[in-house]
Amino acid sequence: MGGGLAGLRAAIAAVESNGEITVGLVSKLYPLRSHSVAAEGGTSAVLDPEDNFDLHSYDTIKGSDYLADQDAVEEFVKLVPEQIYTTDHWGCPWSRAEDGRISQRDFGGLSFPRAVFAADKTGFHVMQTLYSRCLMYDRIHFYNEYFATSISVDSNRFNAMTTINLRTGEYTIFQSKSLILAAGGGGRMYRFSTCAHSTTGDGDAIAYRAGIPLKDMEFVQFHPTGLVPSGILITEAARAEGGYLRNSEGKRFMEHYAPTKLEEAPRDIVSRAMMWEIEAGRGVRGGYGNIEYINLDLTHIADKLEERLPMITDIARKFNNIDAAEGPIPVRPATHYTMGGVSVGIGTETVVPGVFGAGENASISIHGANRLGSNSTNECLALGNVAGKKAAEFASSHGIPDLNHDKIREEEKRLWEDIMRRDGGENVAAIRSDLGHTMDVNVGVFKTGEKLESAIKTIYELKERYSRISIQDKSNVFNTELQWALEVGYMLDLAEIVAKGAFERKESRGAHYRKDFPKRDDDNFLKHTIATYTRDGPRLEYSPVRITKWQPAERVY
Ligand SMILES: Cc1cc2nc3c(=O)[nH]c(=O)nc-3n(C[C@H](O)[C@H](O)[C@H](O)COP(=O)(O)OP(=O)(O)OC[C@H]3O[C@@H](n4cnc5c(N)ncnc54)[C@H](O)[C@@H]3O)c2cc1C
């Protein structure tokens, strides 16, 4: 399920590891429209002899505010370099240094310039490379614009995936011996977000409803530099290449918050610093209604823009009519990434044998409470590869279970007799917009118990309104209103888990900052949150963090 970086990489791995395997790749989008295509800045890998795996692990673990499982991180960093060379051999145009070697740049929270990149269009180039590779195999069958609505699990085995063929409206069932969940993140629960509008956490919600637990959903990443007012990402590479953040007094301020790393501190720290500046009355105003923002100044690195940052230069020009060489770009923290996801082990396995998870859909967990920039695209490649191989291995020794017709009919009824026929007059788009608003305001960079309670109350109200929606469009062909309705339903479930998990976590760690509990509390909260579906909402339990070499320490940059 999913045709982004993780899904495509997994599909290739599955067919290349076993000459008998066929893959059905189900994607609600044409694969090259997946959000992965928008990845900009880079992908971290240990390639330089002066860098090493321990350093990459340590940066990742410190970045995670010690919530990452350290054995998983140590395993992961070792898998990445091979993926860079493999994609290079498959034709990915990685940016190169004068001497012909693959270039690497600095990125937030890295202690070595480790991010491999293809200008500031990394995701686009890697996706093109993987998609071309997939087309070499007639054993990879693409089911593009098929929208997965549920999976059924029967006798602790994956039984079937139900989908709607968006082109025809036909209810279509897929069965297979194994399943890889690679349906991306859920950043669009929020309104001000760098994520594609399709990033609605379907894979998380579908797995959760089928009884597969989700891990650490309260950790949602805010990227410091979302373009105002659209939210389009201005890559972290802009700061890594030397860009400055300035407040309304024209001053740089990061020295007060991260004296050593300054603008190149991890995202959670920079996002909070910007919000503190805005709250202290030093936000910039003007040009965008009441929105207060911070200026990203690239004028002193104008000579680098064309070669190193062409896309964001173009974005600033096209969307805001700003020449980045001449004036600052207005930015604000925007929702960017969900650290949480389907709980998987080091081999990407879920609690259901034969069901695997990879990419943003899964939480293994290497990102813990805060992912470092450039540590997701590499995860998609490295763990997509693992998931593909494991799923192929499972498939070669198992059959396809008998279809559970009752479950298939139940889902059919939910779609066509319940959701499609609801007639309470509530508008799906309005519910989505209200959800985004309450998440922005109450579950944002700064949280409090009071705000979270207010969010949970609103989410309950929205769920109630959701039970009274009306779908005006009764047609079968590309019924985007029905699709939106299903996506909003998934996001309401996920938002409830995020807000409740955040309410219960009475500490501050990584991207989760509680003004009423501003300190990290290792005695009580050095643990993962595990959310399991019940009819009355998520049941929250906790599981220990696995520590190998790095004892939790104060996190200063
Ligand atoms: C603007 C932006 C820039 C980024 N830049 C970087 C970067 O420079 N470096 C880095 O490491 N990370 C970056 N990230 C993060 C990284 O790009 C993503 O986390 C990663 O690409 C996600 O890949 P994925 O394969 O897990 O999911 P996606 O690319 O989001 O793909 C999800 C797939 O699932 C399918 N799908 C979803 N729901 C359904 C459904 N119901 N039925 C069927 N199919 C479904 C979709 O069609 C799609 O094919 C960035 C993210 C954003 C938003």
Side-chain angles (χ1 to χ4, degrees), residues 1-8 25-44 105 107 116 120 122-123 127 143 145-150 161-163 181-185 193-196 198-203 206 221 223 231-236 267 311 335-338 358-362 371-380 483 487 490:
M1 187 195 300
L5 275 176
L8 295 181
L25 198 144
V26 176
S27 174
K28 70 178 175 183
L29 303 167
Y30 178 72
L32 289 178
R33 299 192 65 200
S34 304
H35 184 59
S36 289
V37 161
E40 297 179 1
T43 196
S44 269
R105 59 161 57 126
F107 236 69
V116 176
D120 57 357
T122 302
M127 282 291 287
Y143 296 93
E145 300 182 325
Y146 280 75
F147 183 92
T149 69
S150 78
M161 185 199 308
T162 59
T163 71
L181 296 162
S193 170
T194 66
C195 296
S198 54
T199 306
T200 48
D202 309 359
I206 286 172
Q221 178 161 80
H223 195 295
I232 297 173
L233 180 73
I234 301 297
T235 174
E236 186 165 313
R267 292 171 176 174
M311 185 155 94
T335 312
H336 182 64
Y337 185 85
T338 36
E360 203 173 332
N361 201 161
R371 170 175 76 85
L372 289 186
S374 76
N375 248 354
S376 170
T377 41
N378 53 4
E379 184 195 10
C380 291
Q483 183 183 338
E487 290 170 345
Y490 299 140

Side-chain angles (χ1 to χ4, degrees), residues 442-514:
N442 293 319
V443 200
V445 173
F446 294 138
K447 306 170 181 75
T448 63
E450 219 172 301
K451 281 185 168 195
L452 290 167
E453 274 178 328
S454 157
I456 294 166
K457 190 167 158 268
T458 306
I459 293 164
Y460 284 154
E461 284 163 12
L462 293 173
K463 282 193 155 189
E464 194 280 321
R465 278 170 57 191
Y466 185 76
S467 69
R468 292 186 283 110
I469 53 172
S470 293
I471 310 257
Q472 319 268 322
D473 183 352
K474 301 292 177 198
S475 68
N476 284 326
V477 177
F478 286 110
N479 189 333
T480 48
E481 197 185 0
L482 173 62
Q483 183 183 338
W484 264 54
L486 295 170
E487 290 170 345
V488 170
Y490 299 140
M491 288 195 289
L492 285 169
D493 276 5
L494 296 186
E496 183 185 1
I497 303 168
V498 171
K500 286 185 171 168
F503 180 78
E504 293 302 333
R505 189 172 278 278
K506 296 183 171 64
E507 64 155 356
S508 291
R509 182 186 297 272
H512 168 74
Y513 190 87
R514 291 274 304 252

Side-chain angles (χ1 to χ4, degrees), residues 391-409:
E393 207 175 282
F394 188 91
S396 58
S397 57
H398 290 79
I400 292 188
D402 290 338
L403 190 63
N404 183 328
H405 289 276
D406 291 343
K407 287 202 171 163
I408 300 303
R409 266 193 294 268

Side-chain angles (χ1 to χ4, degrees), residues 70 73 114 123 128 178 196 239 247 266 292 326 337 415 436 459:
Q70 298 185 4
V73 176
R114 183 182 297 129
Q128 287 284 344
S178 47
R239 280 169 288 129
N247 62 22
E292 287 183 82
E326 299 284 331
Y337 185 85
L415 297 173
I459 293 164

